[in-house]
Amino acid sequence: MRRLFLRPRSFVICAAIAFAMAMAIVWWLPIPGELKKPPAGTLTLLDSRGREIAELASPEARTQFPVTLKKMGAWLPRITVALEDRRFYEHRGIDWHAIAAACARNLRSRHLVSGGSTITQQLVKLATGRGKRSWSGKLYEAIIAWKLEHRWSKGRILADYLNRSSYGNRRIGPEAAARAYFDKSAGDLTLSEAIFLAGLPQAPTRLNPWRHPEEGNRKYARSLARLVGLGFITRNQQSLLAQPPKIARVDPPRLAPHFVDAVVVRNPGLRGTMRTTLDLDVQTTIERLVRSHLSALNRHDITEAAVVVVENATGAIRAMVGSEDYAVSQINGAMQPRSCGSTLKPFVYLDAIDKGLLTAASLLPDTADAIRDEYADYDPQNYNHHYLGPVRLREALGCSLNVPAVFALSRLGARPAFYRLEKWGFDFPQGLADYGAGFVLGNAETSLVDLASAYAGLARGGTAMRAKFLAAEHQPITRIASAEATAIIIDILCDNEARQRSFGAHSPLACEQRMAAKTGTSSGFRDTWTVGFDKEHTVAVWAGNFDGRPMRDTFAVRAATPLWATVMQELLRCDHPLDPPVENERLVRREICKATGLLPCRFTPAKLNELFLAGTEPCQDSADYFASEGKLLLPDAYSRWCASRDNTIGAHVRSDFRITSPPPNARYQLDPLLPPSQQMVELTAAFAGDVEWFVNGVQVSPQRDGRFFWQLAAGEWNVRAAGRGEFAEETITVEATTD
C-alpha cells in the first residue's frame, strides 16, 4: 500500500521538475540578435538642401524605409491586424484558437499547410530568416514570440513586423511600398490603397502588382470581403471600395550617378538617410554645360570631360560630373588618377617663395641646358620647343614654362617638394622614385577631386583640407603655406599679362573678373586640365579620352579651358571675383626692372610693381645686367641660349669667350659596364655666337639639335673652341679602368 501511495507523488515531483526545466530553457533561450537590431533601411542620399538624389538598393531590399506606427497612417496597421491576426491585442504571442484551427486543417491534409502564426511569430520568422516550415521552427518561433510579448509593447511589435514585411519587387515595409505603387507616403494612403497593400505580404511574388496585376486585384477583392465579414467595414463601404486602387510604377531617383558612386565607395557601411554636400541646382547646370561643350568641340579625338566644383570655405563638393553620359560610361573621370600636366607647378613655386628661396621677381633660366648639371638624366622641354631665356618667376608660372619649374624644384629638393604636395592632399598612386623630378611637369597622376581640393586650399589662403562628400563629415584643416606667400601665387594665377607670351592676350583664361586659373596638358596630349577659383568656389575640369588616346596636339586651353570659363561665368552669377592682394607688414609691393627683377636703373627698359614677402624684396639695382650701350648682359649659363635663334632680345653673355664644359683640368674615368656611346661629354662655351670645336686638332661635328658631344677615350686631350676670331683651350685627362 505504501508503494502505491508514493507513485503518484513521485510522478508529480518528476513532472514539476520537468516543467521547471522546460521553463528554464524557455527563459534562458535568447532573443535573436536580428530582432534587437532595427531594420537598417535603404541608403537615401539627399543634396545639401534636403532634396533626394538617390535611393540605393541593399542585398536585402531595393527600398526599405522604416517608419513609426503613426507614420503608417490610420488604416494600414489596423487592416493588417484584422486580416493577419485579429486577436493580436488579446493574446501573448500565441493564439491558441488559431493554432487549434490550424492543427485541424493540417490533420485533414496530412501535412503542414497552416501554422496559425500570430504577427509576433511572423516577426520572429522574418527577423531570423527561416524559410521552410517545420514543427521545430514553429516551436522556436512560439517560444521567442512569448518572450517578446513580455518585453515589447504591441505597438513596437506591429511596427517592427510591418517594417520587415515584403510587399513585392523587393520593396520592404509600407513606406517603400506606398512610394513604389502609389507615389505617396504610407501616412497618406487611402482606405482602398491600405487594403490592397495589406494583402501583398501573404504572397509578394504571386501578387506582384507590376507583373501580376490581376492576381493583386483578386486578392484585394478577397481582403475586402473578409473585412466585411469581420465587421471592419460595412456593405455600403464595400460597394464604394469595389474598384481596386490604380497602381503606379515609381522607380527611385538616381541623380548625379558618379557622385553617388563615389559616396558609396568611400563609405561602404552607410545606411539610412544621409545629407550630402551636393547642390542639385549646380549639378544639373554643370551636366548641361559638359554636354554642350563636347557637342561644340565635335571632335572624335576628344570624347569625354569631367568637372568638379568645390566650395572653398568648407571643402564641400557642390557638383561632380564624371562623364558626359553615365549610361554610356560609368568610368568616373573625376575620381580616376591621370597624368596631371603642369597643374602642380603653383605649389612648387609657392613652397620656394614661402621658404625665401625665390621671389615672384626671381630671374629663372628657361634654356635647354639650365638643369643638366642638377638632373643629368632628365631633359625637360617646353611644349613649343622654344625657350625664353631669362624669365621672372611670375612669367615662368604664368606661361607654364617647364625648365624654370624644374630649376625651382632643384632649389627646393625633389623629395621635400614631393612630400609637401602630399600634405596638400594629393594621393599619388606611386612614389617619388617612380616619377623622378618629372612629377612637377605631370609624370605624377592625380584625380580631379584632389586637384580641386588642393586649389581650394590656395583660395583659403594656404590651408589644406580634404574634399567633403557628406554634410556630417569633419575634415581637419592644416596650414601648409603662409597666407602672404599664397597671395603672391594667387596674384600670378590671376595675371593675364604674365601668361600672354604662351597663351596670348585673348585666350579663354582672360576673364573680365579677377579669377585664378592654371592649365595642364600631359605628355602625348592625353589629358588636358584647367583648374581655378573665384572667392566662393574652385572649379576643376578634365577633358580627354578614358582609353588614353591622344588628342592631336590639343592643349588644355582649347579642350578644357573653354568649359572651365563657362562654368566659372555661371557661378559668378552669385559668386564674387577675387579681391586684389592687400599689403601689410608681411606683404609688400616694390617697383622693379621688368627685364631683371631687380631694382630699376637708368638702363631699365620697362618697370612694374611686384609683390614680395617682407625681407625678400631686391636691394640692388640692375645696372650690372646692362652694357654701357644698354644691351642686356647675362651670366655664362645663358651663353648657349644667347647664341640661339630664341634670343630675340639681343642679350649677350657677361664674360669673355671661354670654355664652360668640360671644366678646366677635368679628369674622367671610363666605366667598363657602360657602352661607349653613353660615355660622352658635352662641349659648351660662354659665347653669343657659333662655335667650332676641335679635340687634339680633329673637328667635332654638331648633333642634329646643334649641340656638340665628344666620346671619351683614354689619354690626355686638348679641347679647343673657336668663334669669330676668338679661341679658348682646355686640357682634360681620361683614364682607362684598371682591374
Side-chain angles (χ1 to χ4, degrees):
M1 292 293 295
R2 187 176 182 181
R3 291 179 61 189
L4 291 174
F5 179 76
L6 288 174
R7 281 180 180 175
R9 185 178 179 184
S10 300
F11 176 78
V12 170
I13 293 173
C14 290
I17 293 173
F19 179 77
M21 292 178 63
M23 291 301 297
I25 292 172
V26 169
W27 184 256
W28 287 108
L29 192 66
I31 292 177
E34 294 86 351
L35 270 171
K36 297 178 182 179
K37 300 176 186 176
T42 296
L43 173 58
T44 303
L45 299 180
L46 309 178
D47 85 335
S48 58
R49 303 182 189 184
R51 295 168 293 188
E52 191 168 306
I53 299 173
E55 298 170 5
L56 302 176
S58 68
E60 297 81 23
R62 177 61 190 87
T63 53
Q64 181 181 23
F65 306 105
V67 293
T68 63
L69 207 59
K70 289 183 178 180
K71 291 186 177 181
M72 294 181 191
W75 297 111
L76 185 62
R78 294 169 57 195
I79 294 170
T80 300
V81 169
L83 294 176
E84 293 288 328
D85 186 3
R86 59 192 177 92
R87 285 180 287 272
F88 173 69
Y89 289 102
E90 301 168 11
H91 61 66
R92 300 297 289 175
I94 303 172
D95 187 346
W96 297 107
H97 294 85
I99 290 176
C103 287
R105 288 192 296 272
N106 294 334
L107 288 172
R108 283 195 298 269
S109 62
R110 297 185 179 182
H111 66 277
L112 192 63
V113 295
S114 176
S117 296
T118 63
I119 283 177
T120 315
Q121 289 172 279
Q122 292 182 58
L123 170 60
V124 176
K125 178 181 177 180
L126 289 172
T128 56
R130 182 177 68 85
K132 295 182 178 179
R133 292 178 177 180
S134 66
W135 290 109
S136 60
K138 296 293 291 182
L139 177 61
Y140 174 78
E141 289 164 10
I143 294 172
I144 299 301
W146 180 80
K147 293 192 67 174
L148 209 59
E149 289 272 355
H150 286 77
R151 299 190 181 186
W152 287 13
S153 68
K154 290 287 186 178
R156 180 179 177 183
I157 291 171
L158 181 57
D160 216 54
Y161 165 72
L162 289 168
N163 280 322
R164 295 176 187 268
S165 295
S166 172
Y167 290 83
N169 295 299
R170 300 187 69 227
R171 267 62 180 183
I172 306 298
E175 183 68 19
R179 294 188 193 184
Y181 303 138
F182 301 114
D183 195 17
K184 60 174 65 174
S185 296
D188 298 326
L189 290 171
T190 64
L191 177 56
S192 64
E193 291 167 346
I195 294 172
F196 189 94
L197 287 187
L200 298 182
Q202 292 184 6
T205 301
R206 179 170 56 84
L207 302 176
N208 188 319
W210 292 341
R211 294 185 178 180
H212 310 294
E214 298 84 4
E215 289 289 337
N217 290 339
R218 281 194 285 270
K219 176 61 180 175
Y220 171 80
R222 292 195 298 272
S223 297
L224 192 61
R226 176 96 188 279
L227 291 170
V228 172
L230 293 171
F232 190 89
I233 60 176
T234 65
R235 294 286 181 183
N236 290 335
Q237 287 177 310
Q238 182 182 19
S239 300
L240 294 173
L241 298 171
Q243 189 67 26
K246 186 177 180 180
I247 301 297
R249 178 161 187 161
V250 182
D251 289 317
R254 185 63 185 257
L255 307 174
H258 284 113
F259 177 81
V260 169
D261 288 350
V263 170
V264 173
V265 169
R266 288 166 57 92
N267 306 275
L270 279 184
R271 289 292 185 271
T273 300
M274 303 297 298
R275 188 180 290 258
T276 71
T277 60
L278 198 80
D279 187 323
L280 275 178
D281 293 335
V282 179
Q283 176 72 19
T284 303
T285 299
I286 303 303
E287 289 175 354
R288 172 176 56 82
L289 293 178
V290 167
R291 291 192 296 269
S292 177
H293 174 68
L294 290 173
S295 177
L297 284 177
N298 193 26
R299 293 179 54 155
H300 295 294
D301 61 336
I302 304 176
T303 59
E304 289 293 353
V307 179
V308 172
V309 178
V310 172
E311 187 176 75
N312 296 333
T314 64
I317 294 178
R318 295 305 185 199
M320 175 189 287
V321 178
S323 69
E324 180 187 16
D325 188 349
Y326 184 84
V328 175
S329 175
Q330 287 78 54
I331 296 175
N332 190 346
M335 299 295 290
Q336 287 278 16
R338 303 183 74 92
S339 176
C340 58
S342 299
T343 56
L344 303 181
K345 290 176 182 176
F347 300 94
V348 173
Y349 285 123
L350 171 58
D351 197 13
I353 290 175
D354 211 18
K355 290 178 177 177
L357 301 174
L358 298 172
T359 72
S362 293
L363 211 60
L364 305 179
D366 181 35
T367 64
D369 53 355
I371 60 168
R372 284 178 187 152
D373 290 340
E374 186 71 25
Y375 300 109
D377 57 346
Y378 185 49
D379 187 23
Q381 298 180 0
N382 292 328
Y383 72 93
N384 59 4
H385 304 291
H386 291 287
Y387 301 91
L388 300 183
V391 291
R392 289 172 289 107
L393 185 150
R394 174 177 288 269
E395 206 171 15
L397 176 54
C399 292
S400 197
L401 303 176
N402 288 340
V403 175
V406 180
F407 181 85
L409 182 68
S410 71
R411 299 288 302 273
L412 282 166
R415 192 170 300 279
F418 187 80
Y419 291 155
R420 181 59 61 98
L421 285 171
E422 291 182 321
K423 290 183 178 180
W424 279 104
F426 291 104
D427 289 328
F428 300 117
Q430 302 179 70
L432 177 62
D434 300 292
Y435 298 127
F439 74 82
V440 72
L441 304 183
N443 286 2
E445 304 92 355
T446 190
S447 70
L448 203 62
V449 167
D450 283 354
L451 190 65
S453 180
Y455 272 78
L458 295 179
R460 285 191 300 270
T463 59
M465 180 169 59
R466 296 279 185 176
K468 287 175 57 175
F469 289 74
L470 299 176
E473 277 186 67
H474 173 71
Q475 296 290 356
I477 301 177
T478 306
R479 177 159 293 283
I480 306 298
S482 69
E484 292 76 19
T486 306
I488 294 174
I489 291 297
I490 293 175
D491 189 61
I492 296 173
L493 296 178
C494 294
D495 189 350
N496 193 54
E497 185 177 348
R499 63 172 74 99
Q500 279 191 27
R501 294 173 74 176
S502 285
F503 298 96
H506 305 291
S507 75
L509 295 168
C511 305
E512 293 182 4
Q513 300 94 333
R514 193 169 188 272
M515 294 184 291
K518 182 70 185 75
T519 64
T521 303
S522 66
S523 60
F525 302 98
R526 288 178 170 82
D527 304 279
T528 59
W529 311 72
T530 301
V531 57
F533 48 86
D534 60 20
K535 190 179 290 187
E536 284 81 17
H537 293 97
T538 294
V539 175
V541 173
W542 169 88
N545 301 298
F546 288 147
D547 60 6
R549 287 183 293 114
M551 294 174 283
R552 291 204 319 264
D553 297 343
T554 298
F555 297 102
V557 74
R558 300 173 192 162
T561 307
L563 176 56
W564 174 86
T566 303
V567 173
M568 292 301 301
Q569 291 301 323
E570 191 70 32
L571 292 174
L572 280 167
R573 294 175 183 269
C574 300
D575 287 4
H576 301 84
L578 295 169
D579 296 324
V582 178
E583 293 184 68
N584 55 41
E585 65 276 4
R586 294 204 61 213
L587 184 65
V588 298
R589 193 180 291 275
R590 294 289 185 269
E591 186 179 60
I592 63 168
C593 169
K594 187 175 182 180
T596 65
L598 300 175
L599 297 176
C601 69
R602 63 190 182 94
F603 298 111
T604 296
K607 304 173 186 177
L608 55 81
N609 287 316
E610 186 55 272
L611 291 166
F612 297 90
L613 296 181
T616 66
E617 61 268 31
C619 55
Q620 66 180 82
D621 64 31
S622 55
D624 286 347
Y625 271 84
F626 294 96
S628 57
E629 69 276 14
K631 288 185 178 182
L632 186 65
L633 296 177
L634 299 174
D636 291 346
Y638 292 93
S639 58
R640 188 164 175 267
W641 178 83
C642 286
S644 71
R645 295 179 179 179
D646 290 335
N647 182 8
T648 59
I649 59 176
H652 293 272
V653 290
R654 183 180 295 115
S655 64
D656 294 332
F657 181 60
R658 64 184 179 85
I659 295 174
T660 55
S661 175
N665 301 314
R667 300 182 71 87
Y668 299 93
Q669 189 174 50
L670 297 175
D671 189 334
L673 300 179
L674 290 177
S677 61
Q678 294 185 21
Q679 303 190 64
M680 307 178 77
V681 61
E682 185 176 6
L683 309 176
T684 61
F687 184 66
D690 295 332
V691 178
E692 293 181 334
W693 291 92
F694 303 87
V695 177
N696 281 5
V698 178
Q699 188 170 2
V700 179
S701 300
Q703 303 293 312
R704 288 184 178 181
D705 60 358
R707 297 161 66 182
F708 290 85
F709 291 90
W710 178 69
Q711 185 173 310
L712 297 175
E716 188 171 277
W717 305 91
N718 172 263
V719 180
R720 180 180 176 87
R724 295 181 187 174
E726 297 191 60
F727 302 92
E729 291 183 338
E730 294 292 349
T731 299
I732 66 172
T733 302
V734 181
E735 299 176 354
T737 303
T738 56
D739 295 334

